[in-house]
Amino acid sequence: MQEEIKRLKLEKNAVILAHYYTPAQVQEIADYVGDSFYLAKVASKTDADVIVFCGVRFMGEGAKILNPEKKVLMPDLSADCPMAHMVADGVIEQMREKYPDLAVVCYINSTAYLKCKSDVCVTSSNAVRIVKSLPNKNIFFIPDKNLARYVADQVPEKNIILNDGCCPIHARVTAEQVLMQKQLHPEALVLTHPECEDEVVKISDFAGSTADIIAYAASSKAREFIICTEDGVGYKLARDNPDKRFYYPQPNPCCADMKLNNLEGVLSVLKNEDKEIIIDESVRKAALKPLERMLELTK
Ligand code: 13P
Ligand code: SF4
């Protein structure tokens, strides 16, 4: 299957992008593997004709928004991030009315429709930097309340309004589960994604995006780590650090949607060029603005 994927990729001038949460077999054959910010940047620069995005729907949509002339395919179009939808109807409009200077800051884990209503996108690796740089005092941060609260802690000079949404996978990790691992591995450092609840971030040695967690583990002198994010990062962590040990709060945080990506799906979309992301042009144009602003502010 790997050989056939390579052949089709060349034949069709295709590129394969995969998030760190996808299964190991997918990360192995991908041309680019990374966190959502890195993958959005790669998607904004590629000269491939076809992009196969192994991740969840908002990631494929992001690639299509940035590349309307390219074919963006996903191995499984039903792979979706539940949090991407978690903003109640009308709430953005209500907030804009209440705070005339409001900036709507949209985590990239959001639908194209929500991006259309937002001023700027962020990812977990640039949210603090971007929010700090905005001239607005009042910020409505959608959809993730946990990342919003993490940003609010780092940027106390802003009034950050939380929205009632969260990642069901990260929100399930508890401080008790982490402390249980800490008892088993007292020397281990706790590295946490800011989508986790405050009680978990507070007892962590480090909080950051998946790429930040991977970079931290690689440069740290410590030998053991408790990883509070989706267990797909384990592939890269183990490959880069054969002498280090990685543990997870139990049960392992696992995003079923990310795991819908597999080699069969990649091969099938490369062959058939189906499962294509299609976005209405007016939605695409409106959703492009906050994405471009994010890329601009992080240059
Ligand atoms: P990153 O921004 O770290 O890639 O995280 C994306 C995501 O889906 C986290 O759950
Ligand atoms: Fe969405 Fe959470 Fe899965 Fe990330 S881990 S894609 S935020 S459900």
Side-chain angles (χ1 to χ4, degrees):
M1 248 192 288
Q2 292 192 349
E3 288 311 308
E4 185 63 355
I5 287 172
K6 265 190 207 153
R7 191 188 66 73
L8 283 166
K9 234 174 38 177
L10 279 177
E11 184 188 307
K12 305 204 168 178
N13 187 27
V15 67
I16 303 177
L17 273 53
H19 192 270
Y20 284 129
Y21 294 164
T22 57
Q25 48 164 215
V26 171
Q27 295 188 46
E28 244 167 60
I29 53 99
D31 299 295
Y32 299 93
V33 184
D35 70 354
S36 12
F37 183 44
Y38 171 77
L39 294 174
K41 278 190 297 187
V42 171
S44 74
K45 288 182 191 140
T46 181
D47 53 14
D49 296 314
V50 177
I51 300 174
V52 177
F53 213 123
C54 304
V56 286
R57 185 86 183 199
F58 76 82
M59 297 179 178
E61 282 182 358
K64 183 67 186 178
I65 292 166
L66 293 161
N67 295 284
E69 75 297 346
K70 297 190 200 302
K71 256 192 182 162
V72 179
L73 312 174
M74 294 192 72
D76 191 326
L77 280 175
S78 70
D80 198 5
C81 169
M83 181 172 66
H85 304 264
M86 289 184 194
V87 180
D89 278 350
V91 70
I92 296 178
E93 291 75 6
Q94 278 167 22
M95 288 297 168
R96 285 205 190 274
E97 222 163 86
K98 191 164 171 195
Y99 301 97
D101 83 315
L102 191 76
V104 178
V105 172
C106 186
Y107 191 18
I108 201 165
N109 297 40
S110 53
T111 60
Y113 174 73
L114 288 174
K115 288 184 176 79
C116 287
K117 293 168 167 260
S118 304
D119 297 302
V120 63
C121 283
V122 296
T123 75
S124 53
S125 59
N126 60 34
V128 170
R129 186 159 41 128
I130 289 183
V131 168
K132 254 189 194 156
S133 76
L134 295 175
N136 321 58
K137 167 92 178 157
N138 293 302
I139 309 280
F140 185 34
F141 195 110
I142 58 168
D144 186 12
K145 63 174 183 210
N146 287 320
L147 181 61
R149 190 215 54 249
Y150 172 77
V151 173
D153 286 349
Q154 317 285 315
V155 195
E157 65 274 23
K158 305 273 183 193
N159 175 35
I160 298 186
I161 303 149
L162 309 195
N163 167 71
D164 191 18
C166 67
C167 162
I169 316 305
H170 287 82
R172 223 173 278 147
V173 177
T174 65
E176 200 185 346
Q177 292 168 358
V178 176
L179 294 172
M180 183 90 87
Q181 291 302 310
K182 195 79 186 163
Q183 252 180 15
L184 296 170
H185 313 286
E187 300 298 314
L189 296 184
V190 180
L191 314 185
T192 294
H193 198 286
E195 284 180 17
C196 289
E197 297 282 342
D198 197 32
E199 61 169 30
V200 177
V201 175
K202 284 231 165 77
I203 56 166
S204 300
D205 297 287
F206 174 77
S209 77
T210 48
D212 295 336
I213 288 174
I214 288 166
Y216 188 99
S219 65
S220 170
K221 284 198 178 71
R223 319 295 288 173
E224 295 186 297
F225 303 88
I226 297 161
I227 302 295
C228 302
T229 191
E230 214 272 352
D231 65 0
V233 296
Y235 171 69
K236 173 90 173 141
L237 287 170
R239 236 181 59 163
D240 290 358
N241 309 281
D243 53 336
K244 297 181 179 176
R245 293 286 163 266
F246 300 97
Y247 312 104
Y248 297 85
Q250 292 302 306
N252 268 26
C254 178
C255 177
D257 284 273
M258 285 284 187
K259 302 309 189 219
L260 288 172
N261 293 279
N262 56 36
L263 282 194
E264 289 79 2
V266 173
L267 183 56
S268 165
V269 290
L270 272 173
K271 251 190 211 155
N272 304 318
E273 297 190 35
D274 56 355
K275 302 192 182 154
E276 184 179 356
I277 296 278
I278 308 284
I279 303 180
D280 173 85
E281 186 55 13
S282 60
V283 172
R284 190 197 67 80
K285 275 193 182 145
L288 179 62
K289 285 187 193 151
L291 268 178
E292 280 187 332
R293 193 159 176 215
M294 171 183 82
L295 295 170
E296 194 54 41
L297 286 172
T298 48
K299 255 186 193 161

